[in-house]
Amino acid sequence: MPEIQNYTLNFGPQHPAAHGVLRLVLELDGEVVMRADPHIGLLHRATEKLAEHKIFLQAMPYMDRLDYVSMMCNEHAYVMAVEKLLGVEVPVRAQYIRVMFDEITRILNHLLWLGAHGLDIGAMTMFLYTFREREDLMDVYEAVSGARLHAAYYRPGGVYRDLPDTMPLYEVGKMTVHSEKDVAGMNSNRHGSVLDFIEDFTRRFPACVDEYETLLTDNRIWKQRTVGIGVVTPERALALGLTGPMIRGSGIEWDLRKTQPYEVYDKVDFDIPVGVNGDCYDRYLVRMEEMRESNRIIKQCVDWLRVNPGPVISENHKIAPPSRAGMKENMEELIHHFKLFTEGFHVPPGEAYAAVEHPKGEFGIYLISDGANKPYRMKIRAAGFAHMAAMDEMARGHMIADVVALMGTYDIVFGEIDR
C-alpha cells in the first residue's frame, strides 16, 4: 500500500480572509496544518527606495499608503524622525492634535479589524456596525485634511493647519434617498466645530463598544473559534518580536506610549489592557479595551485644545511654510514658500530612529541624512512583518479554519509588510 503523504495547499494570494495579497503555502495532514510558509512581496511598491528620490516633504504622503488603515500613525513616525534630525521644536498644541488623531486612527484601525475579523469567522453583522462609527471618524479626517484616507496632515514641525471651526454638513441632493427631515437628523451634531463633533463622538462611542461586545464577547460560536487558538506564551512573544496587542495579549505590558513616551502621552491618563492566555480571544479583548482607552485620551485632548489656542506648526519658515496671507503680502515669505516647495529643506547629516505605538504594534522609521534635501536611506520597521513571521509557529497543529482566525488576530495590512 502506498504511503500517504502530506499535501500542500495555496491559501491566497487573493483570499477573502487574507486582508491583502498573501500567498500562504500550507502543508496539511488531512485538515491539520503541519507547516505554514508565508510568501510575501506581492504588493511591493519600493516605498523606501522612492523616498530617496523625493524631498523630505514629498516622501511624507507615501506613509499614508503603507498601512492604509492607520494613516496618521505612519505619518507620525516619519515626521518625528525628520524632526529628530532637524532638532526642531513642535508647538504643544500641535502635539495634542497629533496625539488626538493618533487615537482617532487607533479606533479607526480597530473598527476595521473588528468588522473584518468578525466577517472572516462568520459574524457578518459586525462589519455593518463598525462601519457606522468609522464613517463619523472618516468625516473628521476629511474635515481637517480634505481627504478621507490619505490625509498628509502631519508635517515636520507640526500639523498642516488648525482644527476647523465648522463641521461639514450633509445636504439634500437631487438624487438622494434621504428626506429633508432625515438630513436634519443626520446634521444634528454637526452644527458646531470639529472639536464639538469629536466630543459628541466620545460621548456616544462607549455605548457602541458595548454593542459590539454584546454581539461577540460571550457569543458561543465566537468563543469556539477564538479561545485557545494561536496561543503564544510571554517568552515566545518576546522571542518572536511581537509588539502591540499581539504581545499585550500574552500578558506583557509593553506600550511605547508608556515605556518611551513621545509628544504629550506622559500628560494624558490611560491604562494598558493586557491579556492572560495569549490566544485569539485575549487579543480580541485587548483591542476592545484599547478602543475605550483611546476614547479616554481623545476626550482629554479635546478638553485641553478647547482652552489652549496657539500655533500648530513651527515658526521656522525654512522648515514650515508661512501663512497663506503672509505669503501673498510679503516678498520674503513668498521666497520661503517657493524655496520650501521646490527645493525643500536640507537636513543635517546624521541618522535617527523614531517609533510610535501604531495600532498594530511598533512602527518605526529609520532615516539617514547626508545633508541633502532628500533622505540618503530610509528603512521602515513594519509592525505586521514580525507577526507574519510568527505564522508558522502559531498555525502548527491547528485546522485550516483556524488559519482564518489567526489572520484576523494579526490585523495585518500588506502595504506596510511588503513596502
Side-chain angles (χ1 to χ4, degrees):
M1 186 175 164
E3 204 175 305
I4 296 170
Q5 290 185 325
N6 292 344
Y7 60 94
T8 54
L9 177 82
N10 276 320
F11 182 103
Q14 281 92 13
H15 191 281
H19 300 197
V21 225
L22 166 71
R23 177 176 177 231
L24 191 60
V25 181
L26 300 176
E27 188 181 311
L28 302 171
D29 178 5
E31 272 197 62
V32 179
V33 177
M34 306 308 291
R35 185 166 171 269
D37 184 12
H39 288 217
I40 62 170
L42 299 164
L43 198 64
H44 179 57
R45 289 175 294 187
T47 303
E48 293 162 335
K49 196 68 188 169
L50 279 167
E52 294 172 22
H53 300 277
K54 304 281 178 191
I55 62 175
F56 282 92
L57 197 57
Q58 287 173 334
M60 210 280 298
Y62 282 118
M63 299 302 115
D64 294 304
R65 290 151 177 83
L66 289 167
D67 177 351
Y68 31 80
V69 191
S70 308
M71 299 70 64
M72 290 200 200
C73 289
N74 304 335
E75 293 176 19
H76 200 168
Y78 179 77
V79 296
M80 275 169 53
V82 175
E83 285 158 5
K84 268 188 184 177
L85 287 169
L86 285 169
V88 66
E89 282 289 314
V90 179
V92 182
R93 184 173 173 84
Q95 292 185 38
Y96 270 95
I97 290 173
R98 283 179 177 185
V99 165
M100 182 174 77
F101 272 100
D102 275 14
E103 298 310 314
I104 285 174
T105 305
R106 196 177 312 279
I107 291 175
L108 276 169
N109 180 93
H110 286 355
L111 286 175
L112 182 67
W113 156 79
L114 181 61
H117 190 22
L119 199 59
D120 293 342
I121 296 180
M124 186 168 177
T125 321
M126 206 64 249
F127 198 72
L128 307 174
Y129 273 56
T130 56
F131 266 69
R132 181 187 58 190
E133 276 68 64
R134 261 180 72 86
E135 198 59 34
D136 281 346
L137 294 180
M138 291 270 88
D139 285 349
V140 173
Y141 254 54
E142 192 173 4
V144 298
S145 72
R148 286 168 62 83
L149 282 172
H150 304 316
Y153 181 58
Y154 294 8
R155 300 293 162 89
V159 293
Y160 159 58
R161 63 170 184 169
D162 209 340
L163 303 170
D165 294 330
T166 55
M167 190 70 196
L169 299 171
Y170 286 106
E171 292 179 5
V172 183
K174 289 175 186 170
M175 303 291 287
T176 186
V177 293
H178 297 292
S179 66
E180 285 191 29
K181 187 180 175 186
D182 290 340
V183 172
M186 289 156 70
N187 285 331
S188 60
N189 56 356
R190 291 171 176 261
H191 293 293
S193 65
V194 168
L195 268 182
D196 294 331
F197 184 77
I198 295 171
E199 188 172 33
D200 177 72
F201 179 86
T202 59
R203 281 197 295 267
R204 290 183 286 117
F205 189 60
C208 298
V209 183
D210 292 341
E211 276 186 344
Y212 311 149
E213 294 228 55
T214 304
L215 279 171
L216 291 185
T217 303
D218 291 320
N219 183 304
R220 182 167 53 90
I221 301 169
W222 181 257
K223 290 180 86 166
Q224 283 171 345
R225 292 298 306 269
T226 55
V227 173
I229 303 298
V231 176
V232 186
T233 63
E235 298 75 29
R236 286 309 296 156
L238 281 169
L240 290 165
L242 305 185
T243 52
M246 290 294 293
I247 198 168
R248 292 194 286 275
S250 295
I252 295 178
E253 199 173 315
W254 177 260
D255 189 311
L256 295 182
R257 296 172 297 172
K258 288 278 191 192
T259 52
Q260 299 167 17
Y262 51 95
E263 306 296 13
V264 290
Y265 274 114
D266 52 348
K267 296 191 176 102
V268 291
D269 182 38
F270 65 100
D271 299 315
I272 303 170
V274 290
V276 179
N277 306 308
D279 57 6
C280 287
Y281 188 66
D282 272 22
R283 291 187 284 271
Y284 153 78
L285 293 173
V286 163
R287 287 187 176 105
M288 295 302 279
E289 198 53 41
E290 275 190 14
M291 287 200 278
R292 297 184 194 277
E293 292 303 319
S294 290
N295 202 53
R296 261 178 79 189
I297 296 171
I298 293 167
K299 208 176 266 184
Q300 292 169 64
C301 291
V302 168
D303 293 342
W304 189 92
L305 288 164
R306 278 199 187 287
V307 294
N308 291 279
V312 294
I313 195 159
S314 170
E315 303 278 319
N316 180 352
H317 295 327
K318 294 253 187 292
I319 292 159
S323 72
R324 197 88 185 142
M327 182 265 288
K328 293 189 174 184
E329 292 169 5
N330 184 314
M331 188 64 193
E332 193 175 326
E333 295 198 355
L334 176 66
I335 293 166
H336 275 306
H337 185 277
F338 179 77
K339 291 278 281 181
L340 185 67
F341 288 110
T342 52
E343 187 186 327
F345 44 78
H346 288 253
V347 171
E351 53 190 90
Y353 176 75
V356 297
E357 187 60 42
H358 186 281
K360 293 173 171 62
E362 179 180 334
F363 177 85
I365 297 284
Y366 176 61
L367 275 181
I368 302 178
S369 170
D370 59 357
N373 59 346
K374 297 170 184 172
Y376 175 70
R377 285 285 183 275
M378 181 174 82
K379 181 77 182 79
I380 297 164
R381 195 266 180 212
F385 188 76
H387 303 161
M388 201 67 255
M391 174 57 94
D392 181 42
E393 182 172 322
M394 290 174 71
R396 286 187 185 207
H398 285 307
M399 310 289 270
I400 297 175
D402 297 330
V403 173
V404 175
L406 284 175
M407 291 296 304
T409 200
Y410 289 148
D411 184 21
I412 46 178
V413 164
F414 282 90
E416 68 161 5
I417 289 176
D418 296 341
R419 300 190 285 291

